[in-house]
Amino acid sequence: MKRALLEVPAPELAEWMVARGFPGFHARQVFRWVFQRRVEQFAHMSDLPKALREQLDAEWGVFGTEVAYHHVAPDGTDKLLLGCADGRRIECVLMAEGDRRTVCISTQVGCGMGCVFCASGLKGVERNLTRGEMVEQVVRLRNLLPPDETITNLVVMGMGESLANLDNLVAALDRICSPEGLGLGQRRVTISTVGLPEKMMVLAGLGRQYHLAVSLHAPTEALRNELVPINEKVGLGAVMDAADAYFRNSGRQVTFEYVMLRGINDRIEDAQALANLLEARKAHVNLIPYNPVETLPYERPFPSTIQKFVSIVRARGISVSVRKTKGREIDAACGQLRRRFEDRPVVAIS
Ligand code: SAH
């Protein structure tokens, strides 16, 4: 089987070249073609010796995944379902809004956190994604853009618990953010986590400038235990302490995500409890109206309920935004597209 190019750093590819009698500097050219010039085939890398291109083509694939399904929603949101080398499928999304071009990537196949309302975790976690599989999601989505546009923002909010795959994720982000990669600013990357305190502390210690978003979803221990079962192990206090530490270490304000579920966590008392929890913190709240998942009983709150919730929290001096839903028509909420194709063979249309 061919090796996937984006799994290896440039020095490793250079070694491979040298071992076959080619100068190692060609490795940097190869990556420049892929990252900067959007070329997806070795044959098109015109400044490489022909023999090298053929040798590369025999042993390597520019991508290790294939596009199993590409859908464009009426609002322009692109959704890719990628088939991995082992046949597993992952999803990623490209959203355009004004000057922003935001990609949303997955970090695992499935998810082990078991949040009761989420499609990704319905069957548990199958495996972590490799660094290459994460980089590929970004490069493939970037390549869908017109030549004069590129990715401006990256959110790690697809399938999987990001911090459960921290090492590979950071390796992938380092590559995407490096000047030899896509040159994306670290401050334009948002990592969303269910809130794993130990991993949050490790991330804080790495000295990167990533923005952290913590999936709070409930303002009290009891309600959070119900909605986010992993909370029984970690506890709300530890999550908040780790979020505070992340802010202290990085200087970057933490966002708290709050999926709004009708009649469950959207009540006036929930808004008040959330305000109590966050009042003393320099934090931002992102309310996410629920995207219904087939077979799950949860519903999106009524718009008037969302508005009331917003005004209660805002009145206490806390910054609040309500997330716009993008790509709803194509099941852009984490894990939903993959689920729809679960038992069906998908025709490759790359
Ligand atoms: N494991 C990470 C990334 C998950 S996806 C985390 O927990 O943050 C990003 C966000 O989407 C999370 O806040 C997640 O709880 C939320 N989410 C999951 N399913 C959703 C749905 N059907 N509708 C709206 N938000 C959802």
Side-chain angles (χ1 to χ4, degrees):
M1 198 160 75
K2 291 188 184 183
R3 297 176 69 188
L5 192 68
L6 296 177
E7 296 295 353
V8 301
E12 199 175 321
L13 184 66
E15 267 174 43
W16 174 92
M17 288 177 177
V18 170
R20 277 152 190 80
F22 298 102
F25 69 80
H26 289 310
R28 291 187 62 154
Q29 285 172 297
V30 168
F31 286 115
R32 204 175 307 134
W33 279 109
V34 176
F35 283 116
Q36 272 110 54
R37 302 169 81 170
R38 309 188 182 194
V39 161
E40 299 187 354
Q41 287 171 41
F42 295 113
H44 296 161
M45 300 182 180
S46 53
D47 57 2
L48 301 182
K50 191 155 178 286
L52 175 58
R53 280 185 262 162
E54 285 169 0
Q55 190 73 37
L56 280 164
D57 203 36
E59 292 188 45
W60 297 83
V62 170
F63 295 124
T65 61
E66 57 168 29
V67 177
Y69 182 72
H70 173 198
H71 191 83
V72 187
D75 68 4
T77 301
D78 287 279
K79 178 107 183 186
L80 289 181
L81 186 69
L82 300 179
C84 300
D86 65 359
R88 293 190 160 91
R89 287 167 186 162
I90 55 177
E91 47 185 277
C92 53
V93 186
L94 168 65
M95 296 161 282
E97 174 99 46
D99 290 340
R100 282 189 177 211
R101 299 291 175 271
T102 304
V103 297
C104 172
I105 64 166
S106 297
T107 54
Q108 298 183 308
V109 183
C111 183
M113 299 299 114
C115 299
V116 295
F117 50 82
C118 177
S120 299
L122 287 173
K123 289 194 174 165
V125 62
E126 292 181 37
R127 67 168 172 85
N128 281 340
L129 297 188
T130 63
R131 59 191 70 186
E133 287 166 338
M134 287 185 267
V135 174
E136 279 187 27
Q137 295 174 58
V138 183
V139 173
R140 281 200 179 274
L141 290 168
R142 188 279 310 267
N143 291 0
L144 297 177
L145 288 168
D148 58 336
E149 292 182 11
T150 194
I151 303 295
T152 61
N153 296 78
L154 190 163
V155 297
V156 187
M157 296 188 182
M159 272 194 297
E161 168 44 38
S162 331
L163 299 190
N165 189 11
L166 181 60
D167 292 349
N168 288 347
L169 174 62
V170 169
L173 292 176
D174 280 349
R175 191 117 199 233
I176 291 159
C177 294
S178 76
E180 297 78 31
L182 296 184
L184 183 69
Q186 286 181 6
R187 300 178 70 89
R188 291 167 173 268
V189 174
T190 299
I191 299 178
S192 179
T193 175
V194 73
L196 302 179
E198 282 169 28
K199 301 284 186 177
M200 288 160 74
M201 300 304 287
V202 173
L203 183 64
L206 293 179
R208 307 293 197 280
Q209 281 289 299
Y210 307 131
H211 177 197
L212 190 67
V214 176
S215 293
L216 195 60
H217 304 331
T220 61
E221 197 82 82
L223 188 55
R224 196 163 196 268
N225 284 345
E226 256 175 59
L227 301 178
V228 183
I230 192 79
N231 191 63
E232 285 182 25
K233 285 195 194 127
V234 296
L236 185 55
V239 173
M240 299 310 290
D241 287 348
D244 292 344
Y246 191 86
F247 176 49
R248 270 199 311 277
N249 279 16
S250 67
R252 298 221 60 192
Q253 187 178 321
V254 173
T255 293
F256 292 95
E257 294 164 284
Y258 193 102
V259 168
M260 295 191 77
L261 307 165
R262 190 192 298 176
I264 293 179
N265 66 354
D266 66 345
R267 302 160 303 176
I268 289 173
E269 60 262 41
D270 298 319
Q272 286 161 343
L274 184 64
N276 291 343
L277 185 67
L278 299 180
E279 198 163 34
R281 295 182 156 93
K282 199 170 155 39
H284 176 77
V285 177
N286 192 209
L287 298 174
I288 314 172
Y290 185 59
N291 250 330
V293 174
E294 232 177 89
T295 74
L296 294 181
Y298 306 100
E299 289 174 294
R300 169 182 294 230
F302 298 108
S304 58
T305 312
I306 300 176
Q307 275 323 308
K308 198 181 296 163
F309 198 99
V310 168
S311 49
I312 292 170
V313 179
R314 218 170 250 163
R316 303 274 294 273
I318 298 161
S319 126
V320 185
S321 55
V322 181
R323 184 174 302 168
K324 271 202 215 157
T325 307
K326 283 242 159 212
R328 239 184 129 187
E329 305 80 353
I330 54 165
D331 294 337
C334 12
Q336 296 198 43
L337 185 72
R338 184 181 73 119
R339 241 185 119 217
R340 175 190 291 189
F341 283 95
E342 216 149 50
D343 306 314
R344 287 194 249 165
V346 176
V347 184
I349 49 164
S350 51

